[in-house]
Amino acid sequence: LPDDLQCYHSLIEQCPYMSDESGKVGYLTVHESYVDATKAQRREGLHIESPGVFQDAPEDQTSFRPAVEHPWGMGMMFGTDRYEGGIFMASSVSNTSEVWDALVDKNYPGIVDKHGGCEYLRPLIGKGTKLQAGELIWMTDCTPHEALPQETSGYRQFFSCCVAICIPLVC
C-alpha cells in the first residue's frame, strides 16, 4: 500500500475477506475531495457495477466489450460470514450513499444499460438504506446503489475495495 494510503490499512483489514483470497488481485478506490452542498462526489442514479447485455448481442457478450470486460467485484455470499469476491464500501459522510437489499440479474437482456444504469427499477425494489459515516458494507456487482448529494458542503472520503478479482487474461 503506498504511503499516502496507509491510513486506509485498518479499514481494509476490517473487510472480512477469506484467507484464500490473500495474495490475489484486488482493487482499491479512494476518492477524497471537497464536495459542495447539493452535489454528489460519486455517480448519482441507481446503478450496479456490472454492464448489461443486449438482446441482439452474441451469447455471453456484455453490451460493452472493447477488450475483455469484467464486472467489478462480482461477489457471492456462501452462508454465515463466507463472502467470495464482492465490493466493500464506506464513506466519511452520512447519507451520501444508498444501497438496496436487492440483486439485479445483469444477464437479462436490457435490464441495465451498458454502464450498469437501472434507474427505472427504483419503484420495483423498495426502500434503500442510507449509509452512515464510517459504516462498512459488502455488496456484489449486482447490488443497486447510488451516490447522494451532500446536505452540507465539506470534505468527503470514499473507500471501496473489490476483493479477489481474477481477470482471465491477467491471472
Side-chain angles (χ1 to χ4, degrees), residues 30-149:
V30 172
H31 187 169
E32 301 174 328
S33 66
Y34 182 85
V35 182
D36 291 324
T38 73
K39 303 290 184 193
Q41 182 189 48
R42 309 279 301 167
R43 181 178 174 187
E44 292 183 78
L46 195 63
H47 65 280
I48 63 173
E49 293 297 321
S50 186
V53 296
F54 288 135
Q55 199 133 13
D56 60 350
E59 192 172 325
D60 296 329
Q61 183 173 339
T62 63
S63 59
F64 179 70
R65 201 185 234 347
V68 174
E69 180 63 32
H70 66 281
W72 283 101
M74 298 168 91
M76 291 189 258
M77 186 169 174
F78 295 99
T80 306
D81 294 333
R82 172 68 180 151
Y83 302 93
E84 184 173 299
I87 303 165
F88 293 95
M89 183 172 81
S91 167
S92 63
V93 179
S94 292
N95 303 319
T96 54
S97 296
E98 189 168 6
V99 297
W100 277 259
D101 186 11
L103 293 175
V104 174
D105 185 352
K106 63 188 176 202
N107 297 312
Y108 187 83
I111 199 159
V112 297
D113 66 25
K114 65 182 180 179
H115 302 293
C118 54
E119 185 62 42
Y120 77 96
L121 293 175
R122 188 180 297 271
L124 305 174
I125 60 174
K127 186 177 180 199
T129 300
K130 292 181 181 176
L131 303 183
Q132 299 307 299
E135 183 177 2
L136 180 67
I137 61 121
W138 177 86
M139 65 183 194
T140 76
D141 65 323
C142 294
T143 302
H145 62 284
E146 71 176 329
L148 300 171

